[in-house]
Amino acid sequence: MERFYITTAIDYVNGAPHIGHAYEKIYTDILFRHFKKRAAETFFLTGTDEHGIKIQKTAKANGITPKELCDANAAQFMEAWKLLDIEYSKFIRTTDDYHEKIVQDIFEKLLEQGDIYKHSYTGLYCSGCETFLNPKDLDENGNCPIHGKKPEEVSEENYFFKLTKYKDKIIEHIKKNPGFILPEFRANEVLNQLENIEDISVSRAKTNVEWGIEVKSDPSQVIYVWIDALSNYITALGYDVNGNHDENFKKFWPVNFHIIGKDILKFHSIYWIAILMALGVELPKGIYAHGWITIDQNKMSKSIGNVIAPKTIIEDYELKNPDALRYFMATAASNGKDGNYSDVDFKEKVNADLANNMGNLLNRTLNMLVKYFDGEIKPEFVEDNELNSKAEKVLKDVCAFFDKCDIASAANCIISLVDEANKYVNDTAPWALAKNEQMTECGKVLYNVLNLMAKITLLIEPYCPTIAKMMADQLRVDINLKYSELMPNMISSGKLISKDEITPVFLRLDSEFATNKK
Ligand code: MSP
């Protein structure tokens, strides 16, 4: 693979980041780090979505300007992603000058082409969704099904985008490309939504919404958030309506995966695709919709008071690095389904997989190597072909899961290799072999386990970068190796480690933390 480009949704900045936002950024970061080990050049885009009525209202309520609100909250998002080791290549803010300018150009181009037209309209606007809702989408109380609030009736003259013009082409594209919408079970949902689509409003009257990008040829209107927000995926790379694109656009577009939540799949798989078709820009290769994270089985909400910031978990458990949280989040939901966070599950999962299973195996194997061989790998320790082919198969399976963005199944697959290694140690009992003075046999077992651990290290790195680095250092393996460089034998002959160099890579989370939490 030559080039790989991945994006997250850009978050609204009318509040602070919570673990739902964090879930998506961790999810995408894991995919990014995995594909970094397969592609020559990679790009990871994330950012914040800063325009719209919600921001305008929140800023007003706080007595500050929208820009001040955006600056303060965007900084919180960046800080949170730093804390979680999210290794993005670029952070875009929709208030960035270059973005605003390109969005204006896009709008004008679509207007000139006749894909956008002016139209008087009365509709039901949900500011939570930043979209007009169709009366038949409302729940039995006439509320928005996602935000539980009554939409506001709005009458305006707006610009509309001719979504209906692209309906048949989009249906055809989805049907012809089974991997385009992932997980595949979501494709039918989109096809159903396509049945009822109408042209969409893409601007708001400035008298109603001020905080947005002005329509260049009609400053009485601002560009309504979705056309602004969705365009970030190409403006960040330096897309130009006249074809004078920046190098990054030429290099990285089309995107490999847009990673988004299931609630905004319609905007990405219908609106965005139609906009790209209208612009004559190549379509994304894939769109992956993840599920939602609940807290103790409840939807996160300010009114319930159960919103958790990622920082709170890191602080409560006194985590030195974010790996445990990253790993838990990655495995909290099965492919595209909703997942749940609870303190008990968090503790149990990371204690079982990272401490008891993976960390402990490395620790005890290295300790045996020191005890029986003074930490040295002897040339007579031979490899076990059966274990090597198991590891090879796991690598293949993990890559196949990643090709479908299924990081939870990939993690299970990696842990199954750790289980395999543990089973091998227990079955072969190197301590008993040493006791019987079958030293070559004993050394062979340790050598093979360490070889497996080296592969596990590189496979687990996208989930747990800090832990993996500690493992790689003890195994003298280069953490930056590509997957194509994995060899049957990763561990070299000679002195590997001495007693004082062995450090546990992950300590069990103390049960007190969870129970003492406020
Ligand atoms: N600004 C739009 C996206 C524009 S993308 C061009 C938006 N912002 S958001 O802040 O409401 O949501 C950002 C992302 O976080 C979305 O993909 C959304 O699905 C995700 N999540 C928000 N809450 C979530 C959970 N509780 N769980 C998992 N993901 C959640 O939509």
Side-chain angles (χ1 to χ4, degrees):
M1 184 184 288
E2 272 300 292
R3 274 149 200 164
F4 180 81
Y5 174 37
I6 193 161
T7 67
T8 68
I10 49 174
D11 303 305
Y12 289 131
V13 284
N14 54 323
H18 56 58
I19 61 166
H21 301 120
Y23 174 62
E24 180 177 283
K25 299 342 176 239
I26 292 171
Y27 205 108
T28 312
D29 190 60
I30 291 171
L31 285 160
F32 174 69
R33 287 174 184 265
H34 170 92
F35 281 101
K36 242 173 68 175
K37 294 198 170 297
R38 289 169 64 185
E41 284 189 275
T42 51
F43 200 91
F44 170 9
L45 178 70
T46 190
T48 41
D49 188 357
E50 307 194 352
H51 294 119
I53 190 73
K54 258 193 304 189
I55 304 284
Q56 188 180 315
K57 283 184 179 166
T58 312
K60 195 165 176 210
N62 289 298
I64 52 174
T65 65
K67 182 73 171 104
E68 281 167 344
L69 176 72
C70 292
D71 287 349
N73 284 348
Q76 287 202 53
F77 278 86
M78 286 188 233
E79 201 184 301
W81 304 159
K82 191 165 173 210
L83 193 66
L84 295 175
D85 276 349
I86 309 296
E87 212 183 32
Y88 55 79
S89 319
K90 179 164 180 166
F91 192 98
I92 186 169
R93 299 180 56 189
T94 54
T95 49
D96 288 337
D97 288 345
Y98 72 89
H99 170 80
E100 293 194 349
K101 188 189 163 303
I102 304 171
V103 169
Q104 283 183 323
D105 293 347
I106 289 174
F107 198 94
E108 290 305 308
K109 182 178 161 97
L110 298 177
L111 196 62
E112 277 160 30
Q113 283 176 193
D115 277 303
I116 285 180
Y117 59 95
K118 217 167 185 183
H119 174 59
S120 287
Y121 183 71
T122 301
L124 298 169
Y125 195 82
C126 170
S127 62
C129 296
E130 292 284 13
T131 191
F132 283 99
L133 299 177
N134 198 315
K136 62 177 178 298
D137 295 336
L138 304 180
D139 68 14
E140 61 281 7
N141 302 316
N143 292 334
C144 161
I146 296 175
H147 296 93
K149 284 194 191 138
K150 266 207 178 3
E152 197 184 330
E153 189 170 289
V154 174
S155 279
E156 275 180 19
E157 190 173 47
N158 292 159
Y159 286 100
F160 273 70
F161 175 72
K162 277 191 190 158
L163 190 58
T164 46
K165 175 173 159 191
Y166 297 95
K167 174 176 164 175
D168 293 344
K169 264 177 88 180
I170 300 175
I171 295 176
E172 193 191 328
H173 186 79
I174 295 175
K175 286 190 174 161
K176 272 200 183 147
N177 297 280
F180 176 58
I181 294 174
L182 291 169
E184 282 163 29
F185 70 81
R186 295 262 177 223
N188 266 338
E189 217 174 280
V190 176
L191 289 170
N192 286 338
Q193 285 167 336
L194 271 159
E195 287 308 320
N196 303 314
I197 56 159
E198 291 169 4
D199 289 352
I200 49 165
S201 156
V202 286
S203 76
R204 299 291 314 270
K206 224 176 173 184
T207 44
N208 288 332
V209 184
E210 279 173 17
W211 185 239
I213 304 175
E214 256 176 27
V215 174
K216 215 182 192 170
S217 56
D218 180 357
S220 72
Q221 295 267 324
V222 296
I223 298 169
Y224 145 73
V225 292
W226 281 98
I227 220 173
D228 164 10
L230 290 163
S231 301
N232 93 87
Y233 301 131
I234 54 175
T235 64
L237 295 183
Y239 165 78
D240 176 72
V241 279
N242 299 315
N244 301 319
H245 310 303
D246 286 356
E247 271 314 299
N248 271 345
F249 184 81
K250 291 188 215 155
K251 202 188 271 182
F252 290 109
W253 192 262
V255 67
N256 294 72
F257 299 116
H258 286 311
I259 307 299
I260 51 159
K262 61 179 186 179
D263 55 317
I264 55 172
L265 179 59
K266 180 172 88 182
F267 300 107
H268 285 77
S269 56
I270 303 179
Y271 296 13
W272 179 226
I273 299 311
I275 293 169
L276 289 170
M277 283 175 170
L279 291 172
V281 170
E282 232 182 300
L283 301 185
K285 293 184 188 157
I287 301 173
Y288 179 85
H290 60 75
W292 268 42
I293 296 295
T294 52
I295 307 287
D296 298 325
Q297 310 297 343
N298 292 310
K299 199 175 161 187
M300 238 183 296
S301 97
K302 279 188 195 149
S303 50
I304 304 179
N306 64 349
V307 179
I308 304 185
K311 195 170 166 201
T312 311
I313 299 175
I314 305 261
E315 284 173 357
D316 280 355
Y317 287 94
E318 297 177 8
L319 299 176
K320 290 196 180 64
N321 61 64
D323 288 14
L325 183 57
R326 290 172 60 101
Y327 180 76
F328 177 77
M329 288 306 232
T331 51
S334 57
N335 192 20
K337 301 277 171 58
D338 291 346
N340 183 59
Y341 174 87
S342 80
D343 286 326
V344 173
D345 292 346
F346 172 51
K347 216 165 36 99
E348 268 180 25
K349 179 74 179 165
V350 300
N351 280 346
D353 289 359
L354 302 183
N356 301 358
N357 206 354
M358 190 175 74
N360 199 14
L361 177 62
L362 177 67
N363 202 263
R364 68 185 176 127
T365 312
L366 288 175
N367 273 308
M368 281 191 273
L369 189 73
V370 167
K371 182 169 172 194
Y372 304 133
F373 301 98
D374 195 26
E376 194 178 330
I377 303 287
K378 311 257 187 209
E380 63 268 26
F381 297 169
V382 291
E383 62 191 274
D384 184 314
N385 289 333
E386 203 185 318
L387 284 181
N388 277 341
S389 44
K390 278 186 181 155
E392 229 167 82
K393 172 153 187 339
V394 165
L395 172 64
K396 246 194 214 146
D397 291 349
V398 166
C399 289
F401 282 126
F402 269 89
D403 287 339
K404 301 217 165 236
C405 299
D406 182 359
I407 64 169
S409 300
N412 291 339
C413 200
I414 300 166
I415 295 300
S416 76
L417 191 58
V418 181
D419 290 338
E420 194 69 53
N422 264 311
K423 183 173 177 301
Y424 173 71
V425 172
N426 292 339
D427 290 352
T428 51
W431 51 91
L433 294 170
K435 206 166 166 198
N436 292 338
E437 292 177 10
Q438 292 171 272
M439 295 320 285
T440 308
E441 272 305 298
C442 170
K444 177 191 153 185
V445 171
L446 301 182
Y447 172 61
N448 279 293
V449 176
L450 294 173
N451 260 320
L452 279 185
M453 289 313 290
K455 292 165 197 166
I456 290 161
T457 299
L458 290 159
L459 289 173
I460 207 77
E461 190 275 341
Y463 301 81
C464 301
T466 309
I467 292 177
K469 177 77 175 70
M470 288 167 77
M471 291 168 69
D473 286 350
Q474 294 180 66
L475 293 164
R476 317 287 178 225
V477 167
D478 176 7
I479 194 72
N480 296 315
L481 281 181
K482 299 263 185 203
Y483 290 141
S484 58
E485 293 168 309
L486 290 195
M487 316 270 286
N489 303 322
M490 307 286 296
I491 306 290
S492 324
S493 294
K495 175 93 175 180
L496 184 74
I497 200 157
S498 54
K499 179 92 193 149
D500 54 3
E501 290 171 312
I502 302 177
T503 19
V505 291
F506 184 73
L507 295 172
R508 283 175 62 87
L509 296 184
D510 194 321
S511 53
E512 286 163 37
F513 286 123
T515 38
N516 285 349
K517 271 181 62 167
K518 50 204 168 336

